[in-house]
Amino acid sequence: MILIVDDDVAVRTSLSLLLKQAGYVAKAVGTPDAALAVVPDPAVQLVLMDMNYSLDTTGHDGLALLAQVKAVRPALPVILITGWGSISLAVEGMKAGAAEFITKPWNNDALLQTIRTCLDLAASDAAPAPDDAQAPTRRQLDKQFAFQNIIGQDARLLHVLRSVGQVAATDASVLIEGESGTGKELIAEAVHQNSHRRRQPFVKVNLGGISASLFESEMFGHRRGAFTDAKTDRVGRFELANGGTIFLDEIGELDMTSQVKLLRVLQDRTYEVLGDSKARRLDIRVICATNRDLAQEVREGRFREDLFYRINLITVRLPALRERPTDIPLLVQHFVDYLRATYNRASLKVNTRAMHWLREQPLPGNIRELKNLVERAVLVSGKDELGPEDFQAQFRPTAVPVAAQPGELPAVGSITLDELEAQMIRKSMEHYAGNVSRVAKALGLSRGALYRRLEKYAIPFDVTQ
C-alpha cells in the first residue's frame, strides 16, 4: 500500500487515481496525525508526502512529520512532494532520510518511475543477506550477472560488483566515484547491461568536453535556424538515449548554469529542443561519474546541492588499483592476451619477476596507466618475454598519496577526505573485530550511516554484528 499525505483534497484525489490506475493500492490522508496513525501498518510500503500543512508554508511541519515517520519505520521509503521554488526544503528532507523528491506539477510517468525505483530499492535492501558476510566469489557473481568486461577478483571489487548487480535491476540513478583510470565507464556499462534496458541505447557523454555555450545543443538538440550556426537539425544526446541509459561522465566539471538545466530535465523527465517549444518526454536511466569529491564541491559552492541529491540515489565508489594489488597480474595478463592477438605475437608473455615488480608500483593512473605501461613495454622492448627491466624503462612515476606516520595527519594535498575516512573506518573495523555497533559508536555515527559508508568504500562487514 502507498500512503498519500497531503492537505489538498485535489492532490490526494489525483494521486489516488493515478496510483490505482497503475495497479497500486493507495490510501490518502490529509493531516500528519492521520498519517502517523497509518504508518505503523506493515502494509504501508511507501509514503508520498507533502511538505506543508500550515499557513506559514515553511515546510517545518513536513520535516517534523518526516522525522516522526522515520522514527517509527526507519526503512520505509518516503518521497517528498514540493514546489519547484522549495527544492532547498526537499534537500533538507533528503538529508533527513527521504528517498526522493518530486515537484509540483509533477509528470505522471516520472512520478510512477520514481515510485517503482524506490520500491525496488526497498525490496533489494530487505532481501535476506548471504549466509557469510564475506565478498561473494567471482564465479558466483558471473553466474548471476554479465560482468565479462570487468577483470578482477579482489574482495573490494567484488563487493562493488555485487552492489552493481543488485542496483542494476532498478531504475535508480547511480553516481560512480573513483580516481581517474579506475574503470568507471565499465561499471556504468555493467549497470546498463544487467538492467531491463539492456536492449536499448547506452549513450556516453563526456561533460568535461562540452562548453557551456554548446550544452543545450549537445544535450537537447536543435532545429535548423535555432541560432546562427544551426544549418541543420541536430538530435540531442538525451533523445538518442531515450528508452535506455545515459552516462554522464565527469559531471563534476559541469558549470553552474548547465547544472540548473540538467536538474530540470532529471526532475521533470522532459526537455525542449532548441528552436522548438514543444516539450518532449524522457524515459531514461541516468548514471553519472566523477573523480571529484562532489560532497566537498557542494560545501564549497561549486556544485548544486539539489542536483547532487538527484543523481546520487545510489553511490558506488571504485577502489584505486593500489587498493587491490592482487588484481594487477590478472589485468596485465588480460592486456598481454589482447596485444598477443593484435600484433600476432603468439609467444608474448610477462615473467614472474615482472609481475611482482608491477604489483609493488603505486600506479596513480590506475588501470589506464597500467594498460599504457604494458603496451609501451611490449612495443618498445620487442621481446617475447618481458622482465622487470622492460617495464622499468617505460615507467613514468607520478605523485601518489603518501600515508601518514602513526599518530600524524597526512600532509595537506596528499590524501582526500574520502580516503582518510575510509582508512579510519577500516582501522576501527579491525580494532573492534568487525562489531558494527561498537564501530558506529566509536566514530559517532548511527548504524545506518556506518552501513552506507561501508558500502560506499566496499569494506566487508557482518550484518549480524
Side-chain angles (χ1 to χ4, degrees), residues 174 176 183-189 202-207 219 237 241 245-250 284-290:
V174 178
I176 306 171
K184 295 186 289 293
E185 183 177 319
L186 286 178
I187 293 296
E189 290 178 347
F202 177 74
V203 176
K204 309 170 191 176
V205 185
N206 183 347
L207 294 178
M219 301 305 293
R237 306 294 182 88
T245 303
I246 192 165
F247 173 47
L248 304 177
D249 198 7
E250 296 190 30
I284 203 169
R285 185 189 197 149
V286 179
I287 304 175
C288 301
T290 182

Side-chain angles (χ1 to χ4, degrees), residues 118-140:
C118 289
L119 289 174
D120 287 344
L121 286 175
S124 175
D125 290 342
D131 292 336
D132 60 337
Q134 303 303 312
T137 67
R138 184 59 197 255
R139 181 175 295 180
Q140 289 171 333

Side-chain angles (χ1 to χ4, degrees), residues 147-435:
F147 291 144
Q148 59 269 22
N149 293 327
I150 300 173
I151 309 299
Q153 297 181 354
D154 181 85
R156 294 180 182 85
L157 177 65
L158 297 185
H159 274 290
V160 169
L161 294 183
R162 180 167 63 185
S163 297
V164 166
Q166 292 171 340
V167 169
T170 74
D171 264 334
S173 59
V174 178
L175 174 63
I176 306 171
E177 297 179 331
E179 298 176 8
S180 293
T182 49
K184 295 186 289 293
E185 183 177 319
L186 286 178
I187 293 296
E189 290 178 347
V191 173
H192 176 72
Q193 290 300 325
N194 288 280
S195 75
H196 65 92
R197 298 177 182 269
R198 65 179 67 89
R199 301 185 188 281
Q200 301 302 319
F202 177 74
V203 176
K204 309 170 191 176
V205 185
N206 183 347
L207 294 178
I210 299 177
S211 67
S213 61
L214 294 176
F215 179 79
E216 286 184 277
S217 174
E218 288 284 338
M219 301 305 293
F220 312 139
H222 63 247
R223 291 295 190 194
R224 179 181 178 184
F227 50 89
T228 303
D229 293 327
K231 298 178 181 178
T232 59
D233 289 353
R234 179 184 179 88
V235 178
R237 306 294 182 88
F238 277 109
E239 186 173 345
L240 289 172
N242 203 11
T245 303
I246 192 165
F247 173 47
L248 304 177
D249 198 7
E250 296 190 30
I251 194 167
E253 307 301 320
L254 205 57
D255 67 280
M256 296 296 283
T257 301
S258 299
Q259 289 178 31
V260 175
K261 296 170 183 175
L262 178 61
L263 176 62
R264 283 196 173 270
V265 175
L266 301 187
Q267 169 61 38
D268 299 334
R269 288 297 197 269
T270 61
Y271 69 100
E272 291 182 6
V273 174
L274 285 175
D276 185 349
S277 60
K278 180 182 177 181
R280 304 188 182 197
R281 291 186 178 180
L282 279 173
D283 172 21
I284 203 169
R285 185 189 197 149
V286 179
I287 304 175
C288 301
T290 182
N291 58 10
R292 292 176 178 261
D293 181 349
L294 286 192
Q296 182 65 25
E297 296 286 301
V298 169
R299 288 190 290 270
E300 295 179 0
R302 292 193 293 269
F303 199 86
R304 291 184 63 95
E305 189 173 33
D306 42 14
L307 178 58
F308 176 63
Y309 280 100
R310 176 59 64 195
I311 64 176
N312 78 335
L313 185 56
I314 299 294
T315 300
V316 173
R317 180 191 175 273
L318 282 183
L321 193 53
R322 63 182 172 275
E323 298 177 61
R324 53 184 186 109
T326 56
D327 282 343
I328 289 177
L330 296 176
L331 288 162
V332 171
Q333 190 59 54
H334 173 73
F335 299 143
V336 168
D337 290 343
Y338 170 77
L339 295 170
R340 185 186 294 128
T342 301
Y343 297 114
N344 194 27
R345 295 174 60 180
S347 301
L348 188 62
K349 64 180 181 179
V350 176
N351 68 33
T352 303
R353 290 187 304 111
M355 287 291 194
H356 283 302
W357 184 84
L358 287 167
R359 281 189 57 170
E360 295 171 356
Q361 304 314 305
L363 297 169
N366 294 293
I367 299 171
R368 185 181 298 119
E369 181 180 2
L370 179 63
K371 179 179 183 295
N372 291 341
L373 176 59
V374 171
E375 188 159 8
R376 283 199 306 271
V378 168
L379 294 176
V380 174
S381 73
K383 297 178 182 178
D384 282 340
E385 180 174 326
L386 301 179
E389 64 282 357
D390 299 305
F391 293 100
Q392 291 165 359
Q394 304 303 321
F395 189 55
R396 301 167 184 170
T398 54
V400 64
V402 179
Q405 295 298 317
E408 295 181 3
L409 285 173
V412 175
S414 67
I415 191 171
T416 67
L417 282 174
D418 269 2
E419 290 169 336
L420 189 62
E421 182 178 61
Q423 285 184 17
M424 178 55 69
I425 293 174
R426 288 193 181 96
K427 282 187 176 181
S428 301
M429 290 290 283
E430 291 174 6
H431 181 77
Y432 291 106
N435 188 307

